[in-house]
Amino acid sequence: MPAMPSVSAKTFALFCLASFLLSLSYGSTFLLSLLIHSRGGNEHDAGSVISTAMLSTFVAVVLSGHLADALGAARAIAGMGVLLVVACLGFALVPGFGQGLMLFGLSLGLGWGVFYTLGPIIVTLLVEPHHRAKYFALLSGSMLSGIGAGPLLGRAASALELPLTTAFYIAGLASLAGAVMFWRMGAQLKHHTHVPTAKISWAASRRVLSSKAVFAILMVGLGGCVFGGLSSFQTSYAAAHGLDYSLFFAGFLSAAITSRLLIAGFVVKRDAYRAACVLSGIMLGSIALFAFGVSGNLSYLLAAALLGVGYGLTYSVINGLVAHEAPSGMTSQALLLFSLAYFVGVFGFPWLAGKLIVDYGLSALMMSVLGVATCNWLISVARLAWRRVSSHKILQVT
């Protein structure tokens, strides 16, 4: 079997920079609640816009393999990345908060869904298997940096007395630069193997969802609900508590990146069931702190940092679990369902969250997020307990 082509440090650095630039577009959506409020709308309106992206991500994830076959993975990301530019400009330019913005939510979902699906696959094409954990961490750190930096653009614009739409213009320009970089990388990556098309069917879905992989898929969906619900309406939460929302994103971003780059490699080598239980417990603790314990900047930063560690590392652990527990020959299908579950949570839950805030207040949102985080943790506890019971029964039989 021929050796896999090695990737130069310069090429991978450009890949990470382009990923950072594209990720700013998704991060800017956390400012939509603030933008729509300024136009006379409310959190429900913002949640409706964000949730339209859930519909188009389904199409993006399923078709991403076909696009990669036709154009190459990097150029497929570049082509669909233009839709991220369109989304950012649309959010900034379209007046009001009605159905016009929902069209740009669909544009966001298509662009982000293809990038989020194919980005890690490019890593598998560039990097030898025994080095992938390190490079996956670098990619995820780059993406999280962009996601977290998006809302900070809004805070910087406010500090400079510029309109909030400035953040969306900057994110759009950055995404355009990222798309151009991916297009240029497409020529450099021609000598690498093309991405095999991963087809999903009802039969394949049933096989995956009837296996143990379903628990990791469920957990990533619930984790996406927690992250999407909190991040999308953090501007509302901060305003209600007299805090600066940039502290949340700075704390979350710093902790998530630091933990992924410095300790993710150690964590993924530990027992996955125990790690998932501990880390989802940390995430639950952070939500409890948001709900009951935030009383100032320090506790706000602490809650955000705990969320960054718990959410960031849990994702890495259960991503490995879903690949390990998928039925034989169904790994790619399981990973597609894993991505779809994540998108349902991160884009779908904000619709419910916005409605809860408008109808019942922020406390209802926090209680619902706390309930979701509790369910997520209980799944990990039940899995760990079941394994111990099963092991005990096997020892008794033998």
PDB file of all heavy atoms in Angstrom, residues 230-262:
ATOM      1  N   LEU A 230     -27.501  28.352  24.972  1.00  0.00           N
ATOM      2  CA  LEU A 230     -26.787  29.341  25.781  1.00  0.00           C
ATOM      3  C   LEU A 230     -26.121  30.406  24.923  1.00  0.00           C
ATOM      4  O   LEU A 230     -26.217  31.599  25.205  1.00  0.00           O
ATOM      5  CB  LEU A 230     -25.727  28.651  26.639  1.00  0.00           C
ATOM      6  CG  LEU A 230     -26.162  28.090  27.986  1.00  0.00           C
ATOM      7  CD1 LEU A 230     -24.955  27.531  28.718  1.00  0.00           C
ATOM      8  CD2 LEU A 230     -26.841  29.154  28.844  1.00  0.00           C
ATOM      9  N   SER A 231     -25.414  29.974  23.871  1.00  0.00           N
ATOM     10  CA  SER A 231     -24.636  30.920  23.068  1.00  0.00           C
ATOM     11  C   SER A 231     -25.521  31.866  22.266  1.00  0.00           C
ATOM     12  O   SER A 231     -25.222  33.060  22.156  1.00  0.00           O
ATOM     13  CB  SER A 231     -23.705  30.158  22.129  1.00  0.00           C
ATOM     14  OG  SER A 231     -22.802  29.351  22.850  1.00  0.00           O
ATOM     15  N   SER A 232     -26.609  31.351  21.711  1.00  0.00           N
ATOM     16  CA  SER A 232     -27.464  32.177  20.856  1.00  0.00           C
ATOM     17  C   SER A 232     -28.135  33.305  21.623  1.00  0.00           C
ATOM     18  O   SER A 232     -28.461  34.352  21.037  1.00  0.00           O
ATOM     19  CB  SER A 232     -28.528  31.307  20.172  1.00  0.00           C
ATOM     20  OG  SER A 232     -27.923  30.350  19.327  1.00  0.00           O
ATOM     21  N   PHE A 233     -28.353  33.115  22.918  1.00  0.00           N
ATOM     22  CA  PHE A 233     -29.058  34.126  23.706  1.00  0.00           C
ATOM     23  C   PHE A 233     -28.219  34.630  24.876  1.00  0.00           C
ATOM     24  O   PHE A 233     -28.749  35.122  25.869  1.00  0.00           O
ATOM     25  CB  PHE A 233     -30.399  33.568  24.187  1.00  0.00           C
ATOM     26  CG  PHE A 233     -31.293  33.161  23.053  1.00  0.00           C
ATOM     27  CD1 PHE A 233     -31.465  31.826  22.739  1.00  0.00           C
ATOM     28  CD2 PHE A 233     -31.910  34.116  22.262  1.00  0.00           C
ATOM     29  CE1 PHE A 233     -32.259  31.441  21.673  1.00  0.00           C
ATOM     30  CE2 PHE A 233     -32.703  33.740  21.186  1.00  0.00           C
ATOM     31  CZ  PHE A 233     -32.881  32.409  20.895  1.00  0.00           C
ATOM     32  N   GLN A 234     -26.895  34.517  24.722  1.00  0.00           N
ATOM     33  CA  GLN A 234     -26.026  34.989  25.788  1.00  0.00           C
ATOM     34  C   GLN A 234     -26.082  36.505  25.928  1.00  0.00           C
ATOM     35  O   GLN A 234     -25.896  37.035  27.022  1.00  0.00           O
ATOM     36  CB  GLN A 234     -24.591  34.534  25.528  1.00  0.00           C
ATOM     37  CG  GLN A 234     -23.678  34.635  26.735  1.00  0.00           C
ATOM     38  CD  GLN A 234     -24.217  33.873  27.941  1.00  0.00           C
ATOM     39  OE1 GLN A 234     -24.134  34.379  29.067  1.00  0.00           O
ATOM     40  NE2 GLN A 234     -24.775  32.682  27.736  1.00  0.00           N
ATOM     41  N   THR A 235     -26.343  37.204  24.825  1.00  0.00           N
ATOM     42  CA  THR A 235     -26.473  38.661  24.928  1.00  0.00           C
ATOM     43  C   THR A 235     -27.669  39.025  25.812  1.00  0.00           C
ATOM     44  O   THR A 235     -27.614  39.981  26.584  1.00  0.00           O
ATOM     45  CB  THR A 235     -26.629  39.289  23.534  1.00  0.00           C
ATOM     46  OG1 THR A 235     -27.707  38.656  22.831  1.00  0.00           O
ATOM     47  CG2 THR A 235     -25.343  39.119  22.726  1.00  0.00           C
ATOM     48  N   SER A 236     -28.767  38.266  25.708  1.00  0.00           N
ATOM     49  CA  SER A 236     -29.947  38.513  26.552  1.00  0.00           C
ATOM     50  C   SER A 236     -29.654  38.160  28.005  1.00  0.00           C
ATOM     51  O   SER A 236     -30.035  38.895  28.925  1.00  0.00           O
ATOM     52  CB  SER A 236     -31.138  37.700  26.037  1.00  0.00           C
ATOM     53  OG  SER A 236     -31.484  38.064  24.721  1.00  0.00           O
ATOM     54  N   TYR A 237     -28.971  37.033  28.216  1.00  0.00           N
ATOM     55  CA  TYR A 237     -28.629  36.602  29.575  1.00  0.00           C
ATOM     56  C   TYR A 237     -27.738  37.641  30.254  1.00  0.00           C
ATOM     57  O   TYR A 237     -27.974  38.036  31.408  1.00  0.00           O
ATOM     58  CB  TYR A 237     -27.914  35.254  29.526  1.00  0.00           C
ATOM     59  CG  TYR A 237     -27.452  34.744  30.879  1.00  0.00           C
ATOM     60  CD1 TYR A 237     -28.264  33.903  31.640  1.00  0.00           C
ATOM     61  CD2 TYR A 237     -26.205  35.090  31.383  1.00  0.00           C
ATOM     62  CE1 TYR A 237     -27.843  33.439  32.880  1.00  0.00           C
ATOM     63  CE2 TYR A 237     -25.778  34.633  32.615  1.00  0.00           C
ATOM     64  CZ  TYR A 237     -26.592  33.807  33.352  1.00  0.00           C
ATOM     65  OH  TYR A 237     -26.184  33.359  34.585  1.00  0.00           O
ATOM     66  N   ALA A 238     -26.718  38.103  29.537  1.00  0.00           N
ATOM     67  CA  ALA A 238     -25.791  39.069  30.122  1.00  0.00           C
ATOM     68  C   ALA A 238     -26.500  40.381  30.448  1.00  0.00           C
ATOM     69  O   ALA A 238     -26.269  40.979  31.512  1.00  0.00           O
ATOM     70  CB  ALA A 238     -24.624  39.311  29.163  1.00  0.00           C
ATOM     71  N   ALA A 239     -27.361  40.836  29.549  1.00  0.00           N
ATOM     72  CA  ALA A 239     -28.082  42.090  29.792  1.00  0.00           C
ATOM     73  C   ALA A 239     -28.973  41.975  31.032  1.00  0.00           C
ATOM     74  O   ALA A 239     -29.061  42.912  31.840  1.00  0.00           O
ATOM     75  CB  ALA A 239     -28.912  42.450  28.568  1.00  0.00           C
ATOM     76  N   ALA A 240     -29.634  40.841  31.199  1.00  0.00           N
ATOM     77  CA  ALA A 240     -30.517  40.636  32.352  1.00  0.00           C
ATOM     78  C   ALA A 240     -29.750  40.613  33.670  1.00  0.00           C
ATOM     79  O   ALA A 240     -30.302  40.960  34.717  1.00  0.00           O
ATOM     80  CB  ALA A 240     -31.299  39.341  32.182  1.00  0.00           C
ATOM     81  N   HIS A 241     -28.474  40.197  33.631  1.00  0.00           N
ATOM     82  CA  HIS A 241     -27.669  40.114  34.848  1.00  0.00           C
ATOM     83  C   HIS A 241     -26.692  41.278  34.997  1.00  0.00           C
ATOM     84  O   HIS A 241     -25.844  41.268  35.902  1.00  0.00           O
ATOM     85  CB  HIS A 241     -26.883  38.793  34.871  1.00  0.00           C
ATOM     86  CG  HIS A 241     -27.746  37.586  35.090  1.00  0.00           C
ATOM     87  ND1 HIS A 241     -28.519  37.024  34.086  1.00  0.00           N
ATOM     88  CD2 HIS A 241     -27.965  36.818  36.197  1.00  0.00           C
ATOM     89  CE1 HIS A 241     -29.168  35.982  34.557  1.00  0.00           C
ATOM     90  NE2 HIS A 241     -28.854  35.834  35.828  1.00  0.00           N
ATOM     91  N   GLY A 242     -26.782  42.262  34.114  1.00  0.00           N
ATOM     92  CA  GLY A 242     -25.899  43.413  34.194  1.00  0.00           C
ATOM     93  C   GLY A 242     -24.444  43.073  33.915  1.00  0.00           C
ATOM     94  O   GLY A 242     -23.533  43.665  34.502  1.00  0.00           O
ATOM     95  N   LEU A 243     -24.211  42.130  32.991  1.00  0.00           N
ATOM     96  CA  LEU A 243     -22.861  41.666  32.681  1.00  0.00           C
ATOM     97  C   LEU A 243     -22.508  41.981  31.232  1.00  0.00           C
ATOM     98  O   LEU A 243     -23.370  42.347  30.433  1.00  0.00           O
ATOM     99  CB  LEU A 243     -22.763  40.157  32.933  1.00  0.00           C
ATOM    100  CG  LEU A 243     -23.014  39.689  34.364  1.00  0.00           C
ATOM    101  CD1 LEU A 243     -23.257  38.176  34.397  1.00  0.00           C
ATOM    102  CD2 LEU A 243     -21.849  40.059  35.273  1.00  0.00           C
ATOM    103  N   ASP A 244     -21.240  41.808  30.912  1.00  0.00           N
ATOM    104  CA  ASP A 244     -20.746  42.014  29.549  1.00  0.00           C
ATOM    105  C   ASP A 244     -20.670  40.657  28.857  1.00  0.00           C
ATOM    106  O   ASP A 244     -19.901  39.789  29.277  1.00  0.00           O
ATOM    107  CB  ASP A 244     -19.361  42.670  29.610  1.00  0.00           C
ATOM    108  CG  ASP A 244     -18.814  43.013  28.225  1.00  0.00           C
ATOM    109  OD1 ASP A 244     -19.343  42.491  27.231  1.00  0.00           O
ATOM    110  OD2 ASP A 244     -17.850  43.793  28.154  1.00  0.00           O
ATOM    111  N   TYR A 245     -21.446  40.464  27.791  1.00  0.00           N
ATOM    112  CA  TYR A 245     -21.506  39.148  27.136  1.00  0.00           C
ATOM    113  C   TYR A 245     -20.154  38.699  26.590  1.00  0.00           C
ATOM    114  O   TYR A 245     -19.917  37.506  26.392  1.00  0.00           O
ATOM    115  CB  TYR A 245     -22.555  39.136  26.033  1.00  0.00           C
ATOM    116  CG  TYR A 245     -22.238  39.973  24.815  1.00  0.00           C
ATOM    117  CD1 TYR A 245     -21.437  39.472  23.789  1.00  0.00           C
ATOM    118  CD2 TYR A 245     -22.761  41.260  24.662  1.00  0.00           C
ATOM    119  CE1 TYR A 245     -21.150  40.224  22.662  1.00  0.00           C
ATOM    120  CE2 TYR A 245     -22.481  42.019  23.542  1.00  0.00           C
ATOM    121  CZ  TYR A 245     -21.673  41.506  22.549  1.00  0.00           C
ATOM    122  OH  TYR A 245     -21.390  42.259  21.440  1.00  0.00           O
ATOM    123  N   SER A 246     -19.248  39.649  26.329  1.00  0.00           N
ATOM    124  CA  SER A 246     -17.939  39.261  25.800  1.00  0.00           C
ATOM    125  C   SER A 246     -17.162  38.423  26.812  1.00  0.00           C
ATOM    126  O   SER A 246     -16.300  37.623  26.423  1.00  0.00           O
ATOM    127  CB  SER A 246     -17.127  40.503  25.423  1.00  0.00           C
ATOM    128  OG  SER A 246     -16.796  41.279  26.556  1.00  0.00           O
ATOM    129  N   LEU A 247     -17.461  38.564  28.100  1.00  0.00           N
ATOM    130  CA  LEU A 247     -16.790  37.739  29.113  1.00  0.00           C
ATOM    131  C   LEU A 247     -17.131  36.266  28.927  1.00  0.00           C
ATOM    132  O   LEU A 247     -16.277  35.391  29.123  1.00  0.00           O
ATOM    133  CB  LEU A 247     -17.197  38.193  30.524  1.00  0.00           C
ATOM    134  CG  LEU A 247     -16.675  39.558  30.988  1.00  0.00           C
ATOM    135  CD1 LEU A 247     -17.262  39.902  32.345  1.00  0.00           C
ATOM    136  CD2 LEU A 247     -15.156  39.555  31.036  1.00  0.00           C
ATOM    137  N   PHE A 248     -18.378  35.974  28.564  1.00  0.00           N
ATOM    138  CA  PHE A 248     -18.769  34.585  28.332  1.00  0.00           C
ATOM    139  C   PHE A 248     -17.960  33.988  27.194  1.00  0.00           C
ATOM    140  O   PHE A 248     -17.373  32.911  27.321  1.00  0.00           O
ATOM    141  CB  PHE A 248     -20.265  34.499  28.011  1.00  0.00           C
ATOM    142  CG  PHE A 248     -20.695  33.153  27.498  1.00  0.00           C
ATOM    143  CD1 PHE A 248     -21.012  32.122  28.374  1.00  0.00           C
ATOM    144  CD2 PHE A 248     -20.768  32.903  26.126  1.00  0.00           C
ATOM    145  CE1 PHE A 248     -21.392  30.872  27.894  1.00  0.00           C
ATOM    146  CE2 PHE A 248     -21.156  31.660  25.648  1.00  0.00           C
ATOM    147  CZ  PHE A 248     -21.466  30.643  26.533  1.00  0.00           C
ATOM    148  N   PHE A 249     -17.937  34.681  26.062  1.00  0.00           N
ATOM    149  CA  PHE A 249     -17.259  34.121  24.895  1.00  0.00           C
ATOM    150  C   PHE A 249     -15.750  34.063  25.089  1.00  0.00           C
ATOM    151  O   PHE A 249     -15.098  33.126  24.625  1.00  0.00           O
ATOM    152  CB  PHE A 249     -17.641  34.924  23.649  1.00  0.00           C
ATOM    153  CG  PHE A 249     -19.073  34.744  23.254  1.00  0.00           C
ATOM    154  CD1 PHE A 249     -20.014  35.725  23.528  1.00  0.00           C
ATOM    155  CD2 PHE A 249     -19.489  33.567  22.649  1.00  0.00           C
ATOM    156  CE1 PHE A 249     -21.350  35.544  23.175  1.00  0.00           C
ATOM    157  CE2 PHE A 249     -20.823  33.378  22.303  1.00  0.00           C
ATOM    158  CZ  PHE A 249     -21.756  34.366  22.557  1.00  0.00           C
ATOM    159  N   ALA A 250     -15.191  35.044  25.794  1.00  0.00           N
ATOM    160  CA  ALA A 250     -13.756  35.010  26.076  1.00  0.00           C
ATOM    161  C   ALA A 250     -13.418  33.851  27.008  1.00  0.00           C
ATOM    162  O   ALA A 250     -12.442  33.120  26.789  1.00  0.00           O
ATOM    163  CB  ALA A 250     -13.308  36.334  26.688  1.00  0.00           C
ATOM    164  N   GLY A 251     -14.233  33.659  28.051  1.00  0.00           N
ATOM    165  CA  GLY A 251     -13.990  32.565  28.996  1.00  0.00           C
ATOM    166  C   GLY A 251     -14.189  31.208  28.366  1.00  0.00           C
ATOM    167  O   GLY A 251     -13.369  30.295  28.534  1.00  0.00           O
ATOM    168  N   PHE A 252     -15.289  31.055  27.623  1.00  0.00           N
ATOM    169  CA  PHE A 252     -15.564  29.790  26.951  1.00  0.00           C
ATOM    170  C   PHE A 252     -14.479  29.468  25.933  1.00  0.00           C
ATOM    171  O   PHE A 252     -13.961  28.354  25.875  1.00  0.00           O
ATOM    172  CB  PHE A 252     -16.924  29.859  26.256  1.00  0.00           C
ATOM    173  CG  PHE A 252     -17.237  28.650  25.408  1.00  0.00           C
ATOM    174  CD1 PHE A 252     -17.818  27.532  25.973  1.00  0.00           C
ATOM    175  CD2 PHE A 252     -16.928  28.629  24.054  1.00  0.00           C
ATOM    176  CE1 PHE A 252     -18.102  26.409  25.204  1.00  0.00           C
ATOM    177  CE2 PHE A 252     -17.200  27.520  23.278  1.00  0.00           C
ATOM    178  CZ  PHE A 252     -17.786  26.407  23.858  1.00  0.00           C
ATOM    179  N   LEU A 253     -14.137  30.472  25.123  1.00  0.00           N
ATOM    180  CA  LEU A 253     -13.159  30.278  24.062  1.00  0.00           C
ATOM    181  C   LEU A 253     -11.796  29.884  24.625  1.00  0.00           C
ATOM    182  O   LEU A 253     -11.174  28.916  24.170  1.00  0.00           O
ATOM    183  CB  LEU A 253     -13.042  31.571  23.256  1.00  0.00           C
ATOM    184  CG  LEU A 253     -12.042  31.619  22.105  1.00  0.00           C
ATOM    185  CD1 LEU A 253     -12.429  30.601  21.044  1.00  0.00           C
ATOM    186  CD2 LEU A 253     -11.992  33.018  21.516  1.00  0.00           C
ATOM    187  N   SER A 254     -11.346  30.603  25.627  1.00  0.00           N
ATOM    188  CA  SER A 254     -10.025  30.324  26.210  1.00  0.00           C
ATOM    189  C   SER A 254      -9.965  28.920  26.791  1.00  0.00           C
ATOM    190  O   SER A 254      -8.999  28.173  26.557  1.00  0.00           O
ATOM    191  CB  SER A 254      -9.705  31.355  27.296  1.00  0.00           C
ATOM    192  OG  SER A 254      -9.689  32.664  26.765  1.00  0.00           O
ATOM    193  N   ALA A 255     -11.000  28.538  27.546  1.00  0.00           N
ATOM    194  CA  ALA A 255     -11.001  27.217  28.182  1.00  0.00           C
ATOM    195  C   ALA A 255     -11.140  26.100  27.163  1.00  0.00           C
ATOM    196  O   ALA A 255     -10.460  25.068  27.261  1.00  0.00           O
ATOM    197  CB  ALA A 255     -12.140  27.140  29.207  1.00  0.00           C
ATOM    198  N   ALA A 256     -12.017  26.283  26.170  1.00  0.00           N
ATOM    199  CA  ALA A 256     -12.241  25.235  25.167  1.00  0.00           C
ATOM    200  C   ALA A 256     -10.992  24.985  24.341  1.00  0.00           C
ATOM    201  O   ALA A 256     -10.599  23.831  24.116  1.00  0.00           O
ATOM    202  CB  ALA A 256     -13.414  25.622  24.260  1.00  0.00           C
ATOM    203  N   ILE A 257     -10.357  26.061  23.897  1.00  0.00           N
ATOM    204  CA  ILE A 257      -9.158  25.906  23.069  1.00  0.00           C
ATOM    205  C   ILE A 257      -8.011  25.327  23.882  1.00  0.00           C
ATOM    206  O   ILE A 257      -7.319  24.394  23.449  1.00  0.00           O
ATOM    207  CB  ILE A 257      -8.752  27.258  22.458  1.00  0.00           C
ATOM    208  CG1 ILE A 257      -9.799  27.705  21.452  1.00  0.00           C
ATOM    209  CG2 ILE A 257      -7.392  27.159  21.783  1.00  0.00           C
ATOM    210  CD1 ILE A 257      -9.552  29.078  20.889  1.00  0.00           C
ATOM    211  N   THR A 258      -7.809  25.869  25.083  1.00  0.00           N
ATOM    212  CA  THR A 258      -6.713  25.387  25.924  1.00  0.00           C
ATOM    213  C   THR A 258      -6.877  23.904  26.241  1.00  0.00           C
ATOM    214  O   THR A 258      -5.927  23.123  26.142  1.00  0.00           O
ATOM    215  CB  THR A 258      -6.642  26.194  27.237  1.00  0.00           C
ATOM    216  OG1 THR A 258      -6.450  27.572  26.924  1.00  0.00           O
ATOM    217  CG2 THR A 258      -5.487  25.713  28.104  1.00  0.00           C
ATOM    218  N   SER A 259      -8.088  23.499  26.614  1.00  0.00           N
ATOM    219  CA  SER A 259      -8.312  22.102  26.975  1.00  0.00           C
ATOM    220  C   SER A 259      -8.167  21.183  25.767  1.00  0.00           C
ATOM    221  O   SER A 259      -7.594  20.099  25.873  1.00  0.00           O
ATOM    222  CB  SER A 259      -9.698  21.937  27.614  1.00  0.00           C
ATOM    223  OG  SER A 259     -10.728  22.300  26.710  1.00  0.00           O
ATOM    224  N   ARG A 260      -8.664  21.613  24.604  1.00  0.00           N
ATOM    225  CA  ARG A 260      -8.551  20.769  23.410  1.00  0.00           C
ATOM    226  C   ARG A 260      -7.106  20.624  22.946  1.00  0.00           C
ATOM    227  O   ARG A 260      -6.686  19.551  22.527  1.00  0.00           O
ATOM    228  CB  ARG A 260      -9.410  21.328  22.283  1.00  0.00           C
ATOM    229  CG  ARG A 260     -10.892  21.019  22.458  1.00  0.00           C
ATOM    230  CD  ARG A 260     -11.640  21.195  21.164  1.00  0.00           C
ATOM    231  NE  ARG A 260     -13.052  20.823  21.319  1.00  0.00           N
ATOM    232  CZ  ARG A 260     -13.908  20.741  20.307  1.00  0.00           C
ATOM    233  NH1 ARG A 260     -13.505  20.990  19.081  1.00  0.00           N
ATOM    234  NH2 ARG A 260     -15.168  20.411  20.514  1.00  0.00           N
ATOM    235  N   LEU A 261      -6.337  21.702  23.040  1.00  0.00           N
ATOM    236  CA  LEU A 261      -4.972  21.647  22.546  1.00  0.00           C
ATOM    237  C   LEU A 261      -4.011  20.993  23.538  1.00  0.00           C
ATOM    238  O   LEU A 261      -3.050  20.339  23.129  1.00  0.00           O
ATOM    239  CB  LEU A 261      -4.474  23.061  22.208  1.00  0.00           C
ATOM    240  CG  LEU A 261      -5.203  23.777  21.066  1.00  0.00           C
ATOM    241  CD1 LEU A 261      -4.561  25.129  20.797  1.00  0.00           C
ATOM    242  CD2 LEU A 261      -5.192  22.938  19.792  1.00  0.00           C
ATOM    243  N   LEU A 262      -4.280  21.159  24.841  1.00  0.00           N
ATOM    244  CA  LEU A 262      -3.319  20.700  25.839  1.00  0.00           C
ATOM    245  C   LEU A 262      -3.664  19.357  26.470  1.00  0.00           C
ATOM    246  O   LEU A 262      -2.760  18.565  26.761  1.00  0.00           O
ATOM    247  CB  LEU A 262      -3.164  21.757  26.945  1.00  0.00           C
ATOM    248  CG  LEU A 262      -2.611  23.120  26.504  1.00  0.00           C
ATOM    249  CD1 LEU A 262      -2.439  24.033  27.708  1.00  0.00           C
ATOM    250  CD2 LEU A 262      -1.279  22.952  25.773  1.00  0.00           C
TER     251      LEU A 262
END
